[in-house]
Structures are given as structure tokens and as C-alpha cells.
Amino acid sequence: QVQLQESGGGSVQAGGSLRLSCAASGYTTYSTYCIGWFRQAPGKEREGVASIDSDGNTRYADFVKGRFTVSQDNAKNTLYLQMNSLKPEDTAMYYCAAGVYCSVRYYLRKVDFGYWGQGTQVTVSH
């Protein structure tokens, strides 16, 4: 029922920008939900990047604060991640994820997200 599909990944030079999009459906039928972005680089654990919940809370990982912005367009059923000042260490597969009956007011945790897209690759070079 919950379906997620990412797009917008690509290759950019350090300092550049990308905007990722996630076409999402099904999650807003729940009164409480979380939707956001995770990333995973080879050999590393999948980590939370940014998220919004149904209460309007947003939460960002420390390593992206001031550079990335997450937003949601409910009318278009789309989640966005605007990524500015990209660094080579931002290179990863980026995943859109959603969860129900969850909050990101205090935590951004993988275990709260039960639905996942297939990912979009972001590569940042010098």
C-alpha cells in the first residue's frame, strides 16, 4: 500500500547541488507517520539524513545541518531533499523511507521506518 520511488540522483562536483525527489503514496492515510531520507555508502551502515513527521517536526543529522533541507508537498505526494554545498563524503545511495505511528521530534531511527524505496545514487567528486 505504501509505495516510494526516488529520483534526482547524479554526479556533481564538490560544492554543487542536487535535489532529490520521492514520489510517495499511501502513508498519509495514517494519522501519524514519518517520512524522510537515509543514505548508505559502501562498507558503512545506513544512516538517517533528514525527516519530517505528521506533527510537522523535522530532524537532521548533524553532518548535513545547514546544507540540506527536507520538505514535503502533500498536494503532489512528493518528498524533497535539497542538497547544497555537497562534499565527497556525501557520496552514497540515498533512500526514501516512511514509517507509521512514529515521531522524529527526538529521534531519527531506522527501526521506525518500515517502508523503503530502491534508492538513487549520489556521487560527489573533487
Side-chain angles (χ1 to χ4, degrees):
Q1 185 174 5
V2 177
Q3 295 182 330
L4 308 168
Q5 183 172 320
E6 306 93 334
S7 63
S11 298
V12 298
Q13 293 184 334
S17 298
L18 284 173
R19 187 182 70 170
L20 306 184
S21 298
C22 173
S25 63
Y27 68 95
T28 56
T29 62
Y30 298 90
S31 59
T32 305
Y33 64 83
C34 306
I35 187 163
W37 297 92
F38 291 74
R39 71 186 189 186
Q40 187 169 26
K44 293 188 175 182
E45 182 181 347
R46 190 171 299 186
E47 60 185 355
V49 177
S51 185
I52 300 175
D53 67 26
S54 51
D55 290 332
N57 300 304
T58 60
R59 179 156 295 278
Y60 295 90
D62 288 340
F63 55 81
V64 303
K65 285 183 177 179
R67 300 190 298 123
F68 293 7
T69 303
V70 64
S71 61
Q72 184 180 28
D73 187 337
N74 288 327
K76 296 182 179 180
N77 298 120
T78 303
L79 182 76
Y80 301 98
L81 183 66
Q82 179 66 46
M83 304 186 295
N84 298 324
S85 302
L86 283 162
K87 305 175 181 179
E89 52 263 44
D90 294 319
T91 295
M93 185 73 73
Y94 283 71
Y95 298 89
C96 181
V100 297
Y101 308 119
C102 60
S103 170
V104 300
R105 182 172 183 177
Y106 302 109
Y107 305 101
L108 176 50
R109 307 181 302 178
K110 287 184 291 184
V111 295
D112 288 332
F113 293 76
Y115 304 93
W116 298 83
Q118 294 187 1
T120 184
Q121 179 68 37
V122 171
T123 302
V124 184
S125 61
H126 285 106

